[in-house]
Structure formats: C-alpha cells, structure tokens
Amino acid sequence: MKARGLLVLLMAVCLSMLLTGCFKGEQSLKEIDPPKNAKAVDGAKDTKKTDKTSEEKNTKEGSGEAVKDTTARQLYLLDSNKMVVPQTLDLPVPDSGEVAKQALEYLVKGGPVTSILPNGFQAVLPEGTEILGLKAEGDTMIVDVSKEFKDYEASDEVKILEAMTNTLTQFDKVKKVKLWINGYPQEKMPVNGTPIGNGYSAANGINLMETEAVDLMDSKAVTMYFPAEHNKTRYYVPVTSHIEVSEDDNIYQKVVNSLVKGPDYRTNALQVFNTGTSLVDPPSLDDGVLSLTFNQKILEDKEKGVISDEVIETIVRTMAAQKGVKAVDLKVEKTDHLVNEQGEEYNEPVSLDKYTKSKKL
C-alpha cells in the first residue's frame, strides 16, 4: 500500500516537471502581453522593451496615425493682400509618385493644404475642385479638372491661372499649362474669358502692376521680387511691371534701377534698399553670370562691408528671372571683402538655387 502511494507521488512530480518545462520553453519565445488597462504593481519594473519598434516610429506619438515621409514643395498661394506668392511647404511623398498632381491638389481651398497653411495665407483653387489628370505634351502640361473649378469670382481668374502656372513651371521641362474641364479642352477661362487656348506661361506675368506713365509699345514686362512681412514672417512677392527699354539700353541696368526704386504701394511689400543706392558700372553678362557693382550706399555697415541678406536675395531672385542669367556676382566699390549679416564672405556668384530649387517630375 505504501509502495503504491509512493509510485503515484513520483508520477505526479514527473508530470509537473514535464509541463513546467514545456511552458517555460514557449514563454521564452515571446513575452506574454499584459491585459489591457492593467496597472503595474508599485515598485515593479516594466519588463517591456523601451526601444520603439519600426511601426511605432512611423506613427504619431499616441495617435496611431501613420507618418509619411515628406518633401519640400513650392506652392503659389494668396497672401493677406491677395497677392500670388510662393510658399515652401512640407508635403507627404505621394504613394503614386504623381508629384505635380499632388502640388495642384494642395492649391484647392478646403483641401489637404488647409491644416498646414501658413498664417495669413489661403489656397486659390475653388473648393471641391478635383484634379482629374495631368498629361505632358512637350513643354506643355495639360491639366484636367472637375466642373467645380468653374465656381470662382471673376476677379480671381488671373490669380488662379498664375498660381497653377507658377506651381507647375517649377518642375523641369514644364513651360506652359493648358486647361481641360471634365476632359474637354478650354480655349478661354470659364468665368471672365481669359484666353488660354495656346497655353498659359510664367511669361504672362504675375501680380501685374500697370502704370499709366509707361508706354507699353516701348516697354518690356519684367518680374521683380520684393520681401513682404506677415506676423513677423518674411516672404517674397513676385511683381510683374513694364519698364521702358530701347534697343540701345542695357536691360539689366534698367531692371536694377527699377528694383532699387522699390515696390508699388499696392503690393504692401517692403523697400530694402538704402536711399542713394545705385550701380557704378553697367552690368555685364558672361557665360550666365551677371556682374553688378554698386556704390557703398547699398551696405548696412561700410566699415565691415556688411550687406543685408534681404538685399542680396531681392537682387538674386529678380535678376535670375531675367533671360540668360544663372547667377549674380555682386561687388561694391571700394570694398574688398563683402560679407553677409552672419559675417560670411561673398566670394563667388550667387545662384537662385541658394533660395529655391526646381523639381523633377
């Protein structure tokens, strides 16, 4: 009887050891998750790993919402003065790879741009507009939009064209834009009848400022860039105006002279040039590099040779918009070392790429 009891006891012990070994092996492969809403015992250490997993790294903290890679994209929006201006925003990289289509979608009022609009800016395309498709034909981009596109005020028609065109022509090889609505080519805009049958290009101008004093027959349309400010944020306003130019005139000198005079009051842009600033030699263009030599009035600090960052950017943005200019070599008379506000020396020509780069489709 005692032997039988001892045998039963030994069998129970063996079975217990066998089961313990099985569970121990399985548990070593994967830690058991605690129940939801369970609270840690005071003084106990959390045995979970503190390193974020790849899935956690790709989500917003605590939201569970996936975070996509982003890329900087230049969009043309309306500022608080209803001027069409470029703003560089971080957009999610589209899964489809259709970056040009995405750029236009971010111009739609009430669309995805709403949550990232800089203060004081607004989208320009009518709310509800869908970008049905884009098609490249040579240097022309055909944009097909939905019928909601027609719902805009006549006063906004040219602004819409300017915003779409300048947003798309930042991409390599795109020079003109043509419009389709629901698959039908448009010869003119639907509200105010602006002709667009041959395409619309950046050469048509942006934020056009006409003046009665200029004879349009003996003038040239020139786009200049002036800084503006909203809530202590600086940005640049492109403004197209006509300047009188004869066959014998140095067009670059004419543009610089007009730029130094400052912006039209209607733009609400800022004058950044000191009174008396002028060129001391005619500008010269050599292999895409435009040489400009100013008097010392352009300087912020004559003794140290300091020139304002905004003066440099205003000049480079404006002159790079002129035909044949790829970079600007700026000099100041009687100044051997020209430096920016951070004390960095200007020792080579400055190109537009310093401030904005064209994108590839």
Side-chain angles (χ1 to χ4, degrees):
M1 188 72 176
K2 290 181 179 180
R4 184 176 179 183
L6 181 60
L7 179 62
V8 171
L9 179 60
L10 288 172
M11 290 178 65
V13 170
C14 290
L15 180 61
S16 174
M17 292 175 64
L18 179 62
L19 290 175
T20 301
C22 289
F23 283 126
K24 184 177 181 181
E26 182 177 354
Q27 194 171 11
S28 67
L29 295 177
K30 181 180 179 181
E31 291 203 30
I32 300 174
D33 291 329
K36 293 181 178 180
N37 302 322
K39 294 182 179 180
V41 178
D42 289 344
K45 292 183 180 180
D46 187 357
T47 59
K48 283 192 174 183
K49 295 180 180 179
T50 57
D51 292 340
K52 291 185 177 181
T53 65
S54 58
E55 181 178 354
E56 287 173 325
K57 289 179 181 178
N58 290 325
T59 59
K60 290 182 180 178
E61 192 71 29
S63 69
E65 182 182 348
V67 175
K68 291 187 176 182
D69 291 334
T70 61
T71 185
R73 190 75 64 206
Q74 186 169 258
L75 306 178
Y76 279 75
L77 307 169
L78 291 180
D79 72 1
S80 58
N81 300 307
K82 299 282 281 187
M83 305 293 286
V84 181
V85 300
Q87 285 286 288
T88 300
L89 304 178
D90 288 328
L91 307 189
V93 176
D95 295 332
S96 64
E98 296 177 305
V99 292
K101 180 181 179 183
Q102 181 201 49
L104 290 182
E105 291 172 339
Y106 271 73
L107 298 186
V108 178
K109 294 178 180 178
V113 74
T114 304
S115 62
I116 59 173
L117 276 174
N119 185 267
F121 292 83
Q122 59 178 302
V124 63
L125 298 188
E127 189 169 357
T129 298
E130 294 181 41
I131 310 301
L132 302 179
L134 278 77
K135 179 182 178 182
E137 287 189 352
D139 64 358
T140 301
M141 182 67 76
I142 298 174
V143 181
D144 190 11
V145 297
S146 64
K147 60 181 177 61
E148 287 79 7
F149 176 83
K150 300 178 181 181
D151 187 20
Y152 61 85
E153 299 293 330
S155 59
D156 290 335
E157 184 164 278
V158 173
K159 298 180 188 299
I160 289 171
L161 280 171
E162 292 172 353
M164 292 178 64
T165 300
N166 284 278
T167 295
L168 288 176
T169 54
Q170 73 179 295
F171 295 105
D172 291 344
K173 300 180 180 179
V174 179
K175 303 299 181 185
K176 293 193 299 183
V177 175
K178 286 188 175 181
L179 181 69
W180 289 11
I181 298 180
N182 273 344
Y184 292 93
Q186 304 296 303
E187 293 296 318
K188 60 183 181 179
M189 287 289 280
V191 177
N192 209 36
T194 302
I196 54 173
N198 295 324
Y200 203 86
S201 75
N204 288 97
I206 185 169
N207 298 316
L208 185 63
M209 292 287 162
E210 296 287 10
T211 58
E212 297 179 357
V214 177
D215 184 352
L216 298 182
M217 296 297 293
D218 297 320
S219 67
K220 176 181 176 60
V222 172
T223 298
M224 294 173 283
Y225 287 79
F226 299 98
E229 185 177 278
H230 181 80
N231 285 351
K232 297 183 180 180
T233 299
R234 290 287 178 94
Y235 58 96
Y236 281 80
V237 179
V239 178
T240 301
S241 59
H242 285 83
I243 59 176
E244 292 184 353
V245 180
S246 66
E247 293 182 2
D248 298 329
D249 286 333
N250 183 316
I251 180 60
Y252 304 116
Q253 184 160 1
K254 285 282 190 175
V255 174
V256 171
N257 291 344
S258 183
L259 184 66
V260 168
K261 288 180 181 178
D264 187 292
Y265 72 93
R266 291 171 290 180
T267 67
N268 286 303
L270 305 174
Q271 167 62 289
V272 294
F273 293 95
N274 297 324
T275 303
T277 299
S278 66
L279 291 166
V280 297
D281 292 316
S284 61
L285 184 68
D286 183 17
D287 196 25
V289 177
L290 182 67
S291 296
L292 301 175
T293 304
F294 287 87
N295 61 13
Q296 290 190 321
K297 292 289 187 181
I298 198 173
L299 297 175
E300 287 293 300
D301 187 325
K302 293 180 182 179
E303 293 183 1
K304 296 181 180 180
V306 178
I307 187 169
S308 163
D309 294 342
E310 288 182 335
V311 166
I312 288 286
E313 187 167 352
T314 298
I315 292 173
V316 172
R317 282 182 176 271
T318 297
M319 303 317 296
Q322 312 313 314
K323 185 176 181 180
V325 179
K326 297 178 181 178
V328 176
D329 185 17
L330 194 147
K331 294 181 174 61
V332 177
E333 66 171 350
K334 301 176 183 178
T335 305
D336 294 330
H337 300 285
L338 188 65
V339 299
N340 64 15
E341 293 175 10
Q342 291 73 46
E344 301 167 337
E345 186 174 357
Y346 284 106
N347 49 22
E348 61 182 17
V350 183
S351 70
L352 187 60
D353 282 348
K354 179 177 176 64
Y355 308 109
T356 177
K357 294 184 179 181
S358 61
K359 306 293 182 179
K360 292 184 178 181
L361 290 172

